[in-house]
Amino acid sequence: MSRKKAVRVKKKKIKNQMENAAEETVTVETEETAEQEAAGQSPSAEDQKTAETAEPAKEIKEAGQAEEKKEVSGEAEKIEAEKTEESENAAVPAEETKADSEFTEEEKTRQEEVYRRRFNRHFDELKWLYTEVYGNDSMFAELCDNLHRFYEERNQDLKASDLRREENPGWYKQNDMLGMMLYIDNFAGDIKGVESRLDYLEKSNVNYIHLMPFLETPKGRSDGGYAVSDFRKVQEKLGTMEDLESLTAACRKKNMNVCMDFVMNHTSEDHEWAKRARQGDGEYMSRYFFYDNDAIPQQYERTVPQVFPTTAPGNFTWLDDIKHYVMTTFYPYQWDLNYKNPRVFNEMMYNFLFLANKGIDVIRIDAVPYIWKELNTDCRNLPRVHTIVRMMRMIGEIVCPGILLLGEVVMEPEKVVPYFGSVEKPECHMLYNVTTMATTWHTVATRDVRLLKRQLDIVNNLPKEYVFLNYLRCHDDIGWGLDYPTLEQEGIHERSHKQYLNDYFRGYTGNSTSRGVLYNEDLVLGDARFCGTTASMCGIEKAGFEEDAQAMEKAIQLDVMLHAYMFMQSGIPVLYSGDEVGQVNDYSYKEDPDKAEDSRYIHRGVMKWDLAENITDPETVEGKMFQRLNQLEEIRKSEKVFVTNANVWTVETWEQGVLCIGRYFEGEKLFGLFNFSEYDKIAWINEIDGNYVDLISGEAIQPAGVHIQPFGFYYLKRQA
């Protein structure tokens, strides 16, 4: 098709889409009216005026303007307003670019058949779910047209990767997967800097890199990058989309996978949609939750919990300049998107596919439980959330099946597990093992493994198809969301125990060597979250400050033991950048006015590359940590019993301070023993089904009445 003909076809498509805008607008306005009626409110004169600003006549007029500019509304402006082919090709690494004219008709036909096979496999369910939620055939047709276009735009290297991963759907479940989370600027300055450090990541055995939020955000109102003002632009200080494509291409050559955050729940108030909404444009106001009085906001507030009750109380923000409330579940500058509007869903899916086509392997869906809102509910984990995620999974499998969806669900297991979907209708490929992480630190503070054992049993009894990401620390705070009903049976009460944990990890009680600070402290409820690096929580910071060599050895031993335990869990382990060299808290955030109020920056410090140079020196903290973790990582890579779908269970040790985890896969059997106490302990297990050897020391040890040194651990493998 010639360029001119393609433009004519596109103009016609835009006109047809916009002529159907009336139907779309009526759908959204009807839902908002229903909410008002449910609240006993009639639409006010200002509401009616707002609705009039989005009436079909205006939208058709705007469509004519958009057509002249080769644009459509919202993010579709960037999609439909095609750049020249030369600029598109410039964004793709040269070795991955192949013009359509270079393809034979046979190759083109084969690629089209691949797409049609995927599309037809999901079409009926996708249409049924979309129609159930939106009842809008024209918007669904637009979505389908764009899915095909994004597939056509996907470069050949990514399409080849998709095919390989389709043939091996369990590719990410192998025992060599090891992740690392990092902030681009803190790790290496910018995206090009990260690319220059890939050899270091290889030395660290890392093949899954989670790049923390890097899309454009307003300075001072970014929430650590989670207030996105442009889903198609990298923060200028970090680089460009071209730099991102270069990095992902370099990672593919090294068999590394790249993960990024996709913030679906909200946009920044500086996003183009929000700016137009703030100008009173009804079509854009309908993409958020706007109300001209507090009747409906108050009704929401009666049932919806607050995320940040002290730093950002309430779920709505009053905008005095336009005399409206807008829903802001997180911070006032983060406006919640209204997924009852099909335009919002479509545009966000286009953003998702745009980013996938830049070479991203794993899309982390941020705050996924929050994305659907209903009056008279807690607006968490509603059924429509699962519909949205299921449609997103199918869209990915149609256009870019090599992509994995990682759900961020920071809740108890019974609320987390549903986000896997079912075997027949899967949703997320992977989820975070949040509760186990928090319970691990409870175990450190109490030297009592019973709650942790119970938590692991819950996870281990889930279907093996479910893959969890396990971690000791991440970019966020630690919220003490433990299984308090079980703890109550032991006489441990929630409020007093949270106080104990926060005191312990600040180094105030319980013979603690930990250091850190609180986040979002609520003096009324007596609740707070905790911030600190793994190394500082294990005592490395304190021992270093006091120049206590004996205490340092003890702290390093605890740190390494916790990593050895994490590697034994069911799922994929993820490190936080700096953990591999024992990096401690960074208090310099207090000197930065944009960060001083957010204590989470204490564990988001800049990578100390001068210290990282010590990884080959066994006399340094960095060398000891790096080399001991490297040994564990190499063992994990070489032993197939560490695959994610192995049988995993816990074994009773009859010792409160010692945890035992068993793993079995294809005839191979391994026991991990972990002493969470600073005292010598005996694990009273009795496994006598063969001879065992410790994979770490090479020593023959029978797993029966095993003596374990303070913070010691063993990997005991049965010999063939």
Side-chain angles (χ1 to χ4, degrees):
M1 181 183 293
S2 68
R3 184 74 178 173
K4 290 183 178 180
K5 186 175 180 181
V7 170
R8 288 197 301 271
V9 170
K10 192 161 296 180
K11 285 184 176 181
K12 184 176 180 181
K13 182 187 291 185
I14 294 169
K15 183 177 180 181
N16 290 338
Q17 290 169 2
M18 297 312 295
E19 285 175 349
N20 286 309
E23 180 183 350
E24 174 189 341
T25 305
V26 168
T27 299
V28 177
E29 294 298 332
T30 301
E31 289 169 342
E32 293 299 320
T33 302
E35 282 191 350
Q36 291 176 326
E37 291 174 353
Q41 299 290 318
S42 298
S44 66
E46 188 162 354
D47 287 332
Q48 293 172 354
K49 181 180 179 181
T50 297
E52 289 170 3
T53 66
E55 67 185 359
K58 180 176 179 180
E59 292 191 358
I60 293 171
K61 179 181 178 182
E62 291 175 344
Q65 297 169 345
E67 182 179 346
E68 291 173 7
K69 299 176 183 178
K70 298 186 184 137
E71 297 177 348
V72 292
S73 62
E75 292 298 330
E77 295 170 1
K78 298 174 185 176
I79 298 171
E80 297 296 346
E82 292 275 333
K83 297 180 180 179
T84 64
E85 293 179 8
E86 291 78 13
S87 64
E88 289 175 344
N89 289 339
V92 182
E95 68 273 15
E96 297 177 5
T97 305
K98 190 172 184 180
D100 285 344
S101 59
E102 296 181 45
F103 289 124
T104 65
E105 287 303 318
E106 184 179 355
E107 286 177 312
K108 292 179 181 178
T109 300
R110 182 187 61 79
Q111 290 201 9
E112 186 63 22
E113 287 175 350
V114 168
Y115 177 80
R116 287 299 158 193
R117 169 177 57 79
R118 295 171 183 163
F119 182 79
N120 292 338
R121 179 159 61 94
H122 290 299
F123 176 78
D124 289 342
E125 184 187 355
L126 183 60
K127 183 176 182 180
W128 182 77
L129 291 176
Y130 193 99
T131 303
E132 181 187 41
V133 177
Y134 299 120
N136 192 315
D137 289 342
S138 63
M139 290 296 292
F140 181 70
E142 180 207 286
L143 175 67
C144 292
D145 287 346
N146 278 296
L147 298 190
H148 186 258
R149 187 176 59 77
F150 276 106
Y151 172 76
E152 290 182 316
E153 292 176 354
R154 193 161 172 80
N155 74 51
Q156 297 308 305
D157 191 51
L158 294 176
K159 287 181 178 178
S161 176
D162 290 337
L163 289 171
R164 289 192 298 270
R165 291 176 175 182
E166 275 189 305
E167 293 172 359
N168 179 25
W171 63 270
Y172 61 98
K173 300 180 180 180
Q174 304 310 305
N175 50 307
D176 65 340
M177 287 292 286
L178 177 65
M180 179 178 284
M181 306 173 64
L182 58 90
Y183 280 91
I184 293 170
D185 53 348
N186 288 344
F187 183 74
D190 56 21
I191 294 175
K192 290 181 179 178
V194 174
E195 187 172 342
S196 73
R197 296 289 187 177
L198 291 184
D199 288 345
Y200 173 81
L201 293 172
E202 272 193 310
K203 290 179 185 176
S204 303
N205 296 301
V206 169
N207 56 4
Y208 162 47
I209 309 166
H210 180 177
L211 304 176
M212 299 304 293
F214 55 78
L215 297 177
E216 187 173 80
T217 57
K219 181 176 172 56
R221 291 174 291 115
S222 72
D223 186 26
Y226 290 96
V228 179
S229 56
D230 192 334
F231 288 92
R232 306 294 181 90
K233 185 178 179 182
V234 173
Q235 296 172 32
E236 288 187 8
K237 68 176 183 178
L238 300 180
T240 65
M241 278 293 171
E242 289 76 17
D243 294 336
L244 178 64
E245 284 188 282
S246 177
L247 172 61
T248 58
C251 286
R252 276 194 299 282
K253 290 180 179 178
K254 291 180 175 289
N255 293 317
M256 290 182 173
N257 303 282
V258 180
C259 171
M260 72 168 292
D261 292 85
F262 186 54
V263 185
M264 286 186 66
N265 180 73
H266 49 261
T267 73
S268 161
E269 65 178 343
D270 284 22
H271 190 280
E272 185 62 27
W273 295 359
K275 289 179 179 178
R276 295 196 186 190
R278 201 158 196 159
Q279 294 168 0
D281 188 324
E283 198 278 318
Y284 289 91
M285 293 179 78
S286 72
R287 300 184 186 193
Y288 300 95
F289 294 87
F290 275 93
Y291 303 97
D292 67 349
N293 63 72
D294 68 353
I296 293 177
Q298 286 298 324
Q299 191 168 346
Y300 273 109
E301 295 287 12
R302 284 195 284 271
T303 60
V304 180
Q306 299 179 56
V307 176
F308 301 128
T310 55
T311 57
N315 291 284
F316 287 84
T317 297
W318 172 253
L319 304 177
D320 195 57
D321 52 334
I322 62 169
K323 308 302 180 185
H324 271 74
Y325 288 93
V326 64
M327 182 177 279
T328 54
T329 298
F330 291 89
Y331 286 103
Y333 50 78
Q334 292 166 309
W335 294 5
D336 288 50
L337 288 168
N338 181 6
Y339 279 90
K340 294 177 182 177
N341 185 338
R343 173 56 63 195
V344 169
F345 177 80
N346 282 22
E347 301 289 359
M348 292 303 286
M349 291 304 97
Y350 304 156
N351 287 328
F352 158 54
L353 295 174
F354 172 87
L355 294 166
N357 278 357
K358 298 303 175 185
I360 301 298
D361 300 281
V362 182
I363 298 287
R364 175 188 178 273
I365 312 174
D366 179 65
V368 62
Y370 300 82
I371 60 178
W372 190 272
K373 313 296 192 299
E374 293 283 356
L375 274 172
N376 303 314
T377 73
D378 63 359
C379 294
R380 309 283 195 274
N381 306 298
L382 298 179
R384 288 289 192 235
V385 173
H386 294 282
T387 303
I388 296 292
V389 177
R390 174 61 185 153
M391 288 196 291
M392 190 174 181
R393 172 71 177 255
M394 288 188 287
I395 287 168
E397 291 185 354
I398 290 170
V399 179
C400 47
I403 291 285
L404 301 178
L405 297 183
L406 167 61
E408 189 226 7
V409 187
V410 186
M411 296 178 178
E412 54 270 31
E414 60 267 25
K415 292 181 180 177
V416 171
V417 169
Y419 287 91
F420 284 117
S422 64
V423 175
E424 297 78 17
K425 296 182 179 182
E427 295 176 25
C428 293
H429 296 82
M430 304 183 295
L431 296 170
Y432 286 107
N433 196 350
V434 179
T435 306
T436 298
M437 180 275 295
T439 307
T440 297
W441 292 107
H442 152 88
T443 307
V444 170
T446 62
R447 285 76 163 175
D448 187 338
V449 304
R450 288 177 294 175
L451 186 66
L452 181 58
K453 181 179 182 298
R454 175 184 170 85
Q455 178 65 38
L456 292 172
D457 287 341
I458 292 173
V459 174
N460 294 337
N461 286 326
L462 295 172
K464 292 183 180 60
E465 291 81 9
Y466 296 171
V467 178
F468 283 98
L469 290 192
N470 301 308
Y471 59 105
L472 296 175
R473 290 297 294 112
C474 70
H475 72 291
D476 219 344
D477 54 89
I478 301 177
W480 301 114
L482 307 176
D483 181 358
Y484 289 103
T486 296
L487 289 175
E488 288 279 353
Q489 297 173 18
E490 303 295 330
I492 299 175
H493 305 293
E494 181 173 351
R495 180 163 180 163
S496 60
H497 190 57
K498 286 181 176 179
Q499 183 67 54
Y500 169 76
L501 292 173
N502 283 321
D503 286 346
Y504 180 89
F505 287 109
R506 283 184 292 172
Y508 296 169
T509 189
N511 297 321
S512 171
T513 60
S514 174
R515 293 292 182 268
V517 296
L518 298 184
Y519 173 70
N520 230 29
E521 184 175 14
D522 189 328
L523 297 176
V524 176
L525 298 176
D527 198 1
R529 307 177 192 188
F530 183 80
C531 302
T533 68
T534 303
S536 288
M537 293 178 75
C538 289
I540 290 177
E541 177 183 336
K542 179 178 184 292
F545 181 78
E546 297 175 355
E547 298 182 346
D548 187 332
Q550 186 175 358
M552 181 62 77
E553 290 301 317
K554 184 178 175 181
I556 290 173
Q557 180 64 33
L558 172 58
D559 197 325
V560 175
M561 183 275 289
L562 290 176
H563 280 90
Y565 140 76
M566 179 180 70
F567 291 166
M568 277 289 291
Q569 292 181 52
S570 176
I572 299 171
V574 179
L575 308 174
Y576 189 80
S577 173
D579 280 1
E580 77 281 7
V581 292
Q583 193 156 306
V584 300
N585 291 337
D586 184 346
Y587 297 91
S588 65
Y589 78 95
K590 296 181 179 180
E591 301 167 8
D592 186 335
D594 290 334
K595 299 178 180 178
E597 298 301 316
D598 190 341
S599 55
R600 292 174 297 182
Y601 284 102
I602 195 173
H603 53 249
R604 300 173 179 173
V606 175
M607 182 70 180
K608 303 294 192 295
W609 287 108
D610 56 336
L611 296 179
E613 292 177 359
N614 296 328
I615 59 175
T616 58
D617 185 351
E619 299 302 314
T620 64
V621 172
E622 298 77 29
K624 290 174 182 178
M625 281 296 305
F626 191 90
Q627 292 179 28
R628 293 188 67 184
L629 290 185
N630 181 72
Q631 181 190 22
L632 295 174
E633 291 154 5
E634 291 293 343
I635 289 172
R636 189 173 182 276
K637 284 197 296 184
S638 63
E639 299 290 339
K640 66 181 181 180
V641 74
F642 283 100
V643 296
T644 64
N645 56 336
N647 288 322
V648 184
W649 69 98
T650 64
V651 179
E652 180 58 65
T653 65
W654 306 102
E655 169 52 65
Q656 287 188 11
V658 179
L659 177 72
C660 181
I661 300 175
R663 298 186 71 98
Y664 180 88
F665 185 75
E666 294 183 351
E668 296 194 359
K669 190 175 182 181
L670 180 73
F671 288 104
L673 288 165
F674 310 96
N675 184 359
F676 280 78
S677 162
E678 63 268 59
Y679 304 105
D680 288 80
K681 296 288 183 180
I682 295 178
W684 298 105
I685 62 176
N686 191 35
E687 299 292 332
I688 54 175
D689 58 345
N691 296 318
Y692 285 76
V693 64
D694 177 28
L695 294 178
I696 299 161
S697 66
E699 181 183 358
I701 300 176
Q702 280 302 117
V706 184
H707 172 264
I708 314 177
Q709 294 182 343
F711 300 135
F713 60 93
Y714 294 110
Y715 281 172
L716 303 181
K717 181 182 178 182
R718 185 176 64 185
Q719 298 302 286

